[in-house]
Amino acid sequence: NERAVRNDNAEPYYTNCVSGDTECLTIGGWKKYDELKIGDFILTLNTNTKKLEYQPILYLNLQKLNEQEMYNIKSIRQNQLITPNHKVLYDGNRKRKYQFSTPENLPFRLIIPTGGNYKPKKLKIISDDFIKLIGWIITEGHFEKDNNAIRITQAEWCNKQKFDEITRLLNKLKIKYSCLGDKRGKSIFRISAFDGRKIRKLISSKSIPRWCLNNLPQKQQQILIDTMMKGDGSVSAHSQYYSTGNKKLADEFQELCIKCNKRAIISNYKNKCGAYYIVPSVYSHTEITKKHISKIKYSGIIWCPTVENGTWVARRDNKPFITGNSSQLPVNYTSDIFEALDLQDELQTQYTGGTVLHGFVGEKLRGDGIKKIIKKIAENYHLPYFTITPTFSFCPKHGYIAGDHEY
């Protein structure tokens, strides 16, 4: 192999990436590639412990494509758009024995993880009852503007069971409140400004506080999901969904479900009924087959983070998935082929096939030089495939010239 040096500064198309509209779940919520920087903490899956955990971004790969081939993994629950050599994370036998493969080499039927078990490193110590109160405030609450009082609306005549549950909760927490209503009966719990001031220190708006998303144990995160479902959810014998007109809250509820090992897809019905629907599934994965994978031409940004665990939580079209991170070094990261091999050897061997490490040498190799390099790589590294590509230039006047020469 030899690589021609072109004067258009084209970058090689080998980085394992996703499309520019793919988002990443960070410690601060969902973010796009242009909102990220090296050192930001993103949610990853440790494939050994099977736990979700935050890790810092080591580096970011970013390129721009023009009518290049991409793979689209698309079903009613998935919509990935990835480069041909992207590292897809999958489970082939439902036993959470995760593997990596390029899209072309995936088996006919596979399981893509969409959630996991999250255990925070730093716990927020708070009672289960207060978590329930937060759920009711998010779904049925109102923050009075002229004072610190908080209202929770739940009509006694419409749903006495829920009304009684809130009554017992406030009494158990020893929160001072009054009940307001009309001739039909009581319908509003008005929490006193004194207690409302203390509550506002932990929740100050109708959204899920970040400490609930990052610092609660999974048991209490599930309590919050269950309470929010009582407030703004719909549960029947055959289906359940949570609805909200607030996209930020929909994103937060989806994140909560992912960390409770649930598949959660946001469906946009904003134009039809003014709401987003999220179904907290009992499953933590999506099953697809080869028929869901197709090739398309793509122009635009491709990108991918790199973290120590080799995985990250992503979503596209509001459909989450856990995928492999970029196992390729950024373009021009190093000119030392053996430094690249040291960094890539462990990552490349995780593939089930279809990956190549391309080594570019900035000069023509003479005599036994190529034999010695190949022998050294084969004896000291484990990666299955590699190429060695000397550089040459092609001059309109002089033709082939060994090495890199600007015309």
Side-chain angles (χ1 to χ4, degrees), residues 19-83:
S19 59
D21 57 350
T22 303
E23 299 168 277
C24 176
L25 188 50
T26 75
I27 203 165
W30 292 105
K31 290 187 178 181
K32 298 179 179 179
Y33 73 90
D34 55 359
E35 300 173 295
L36 297 170
K37 63 182 183 301
I38 292 174
D40 285 352
F41 280 78
I42 65 175
L43 195 61
T44 72
L45 176 67
N46 186 317
T47 55
N48 294 318
T49 65
K50 310 298 190 294
K51 301 290 185 183
L52 294 175
E53 55 190 34
Y54 284 104
Q55 289 191 333
I57 297 174
L58 301 178
Y59 43 81
L60 283 164
N61 284 305
L62 184 67
Q63 294 186 44
K64 189 173 182 179
L65 300 186
N66 182 27
E67 285 295 301
Q68 293 277 12
E69 186 177 272
M70 298 273 279
Y71 279 80
N72 191 197
I73 303 176
K74 188 174 183 179
S75 69
I76 59 173
R77 300 185 183 95
Q78 282 289 288
N79 195 359
Q80 300 184 37
L81 188 56
I82 55 181
T83 54

Side-chain angles (χ1 to χ4, degrees), residues 187-200:
S187 60
I188 297 173
F189 297 89
R190 186 178 186 272
I191 297 173
S192 69
F194 177 80
D195 284 328
R197 186 181 299 109
K198 293 186 289 185
I199 294 171
R200 286 173 186 247

Side-chain angles (χ1 to χ4, degrees), residues 118 208-215 221 252 255-256 259:
Y118 174 69
I208 302 176
R210 185 44 52 182
W211 60 264
C212 285
L213 293 163
N214 292 342
N215 303 111
Q221 290 184 331
E252 292 166 347
E255 178 181 344
L256 200 62
K259 290 176 176 176

Side-chain angles (χ1 to χ4, degrees), residues 165-211:
E165 181 177 334
I166 297 172
T167 301
R168 289 192 299 270
L169 186 63
L170 293 173
N171 290 336
K172 192 173 180 180
L173 290 168
K174 297 181 180 180
I175 292 174
K176 294 181 180 180
Y177 68 95
S178 58
C179 282
L180 309 176
D182 52 29
K183 61 182 181 180
R184 293 174 295 178
K186 301 172 183 177
S187 60
I188 297 173
F189 297 89
R190 186 178 186 272
I191 297 173
S192 69
F194 177 80
D195 284 328
R197 186 181 299 109
K198 293 186 289 185
I199 294 171
R200 286 173 186 247
K201 292 179 180 179
L202 293 170
I203 177 170
S204 57
S205 65
K206 285 172 64 66
S207 62
I208 302 176
R210 185 44 52 182
W211 60 264

Side-chain angles (χ1 to χ4, degrees), residues 12 60 74 167 176 179 253 267 274-275 281-282 309-310 327 335 352:
L60 283 164
K74 188 174 183 179
T167 301
K176 294 181 180 180
C179 282
F253 189 80
S267 299
S281 173
V282 296
N309 275 342
S327 62
S335 59
T352 56

Side-chain angles (χ1 to χ4, degrees), residues 244-255:
T244 176
N246 187 322
K247 182 58 165 63
K248 180 176 179 292
L249 181 54
D251 289 344
E252 292 166 347
F253 189 80
Q254 182 184 57
E255 178 181 344

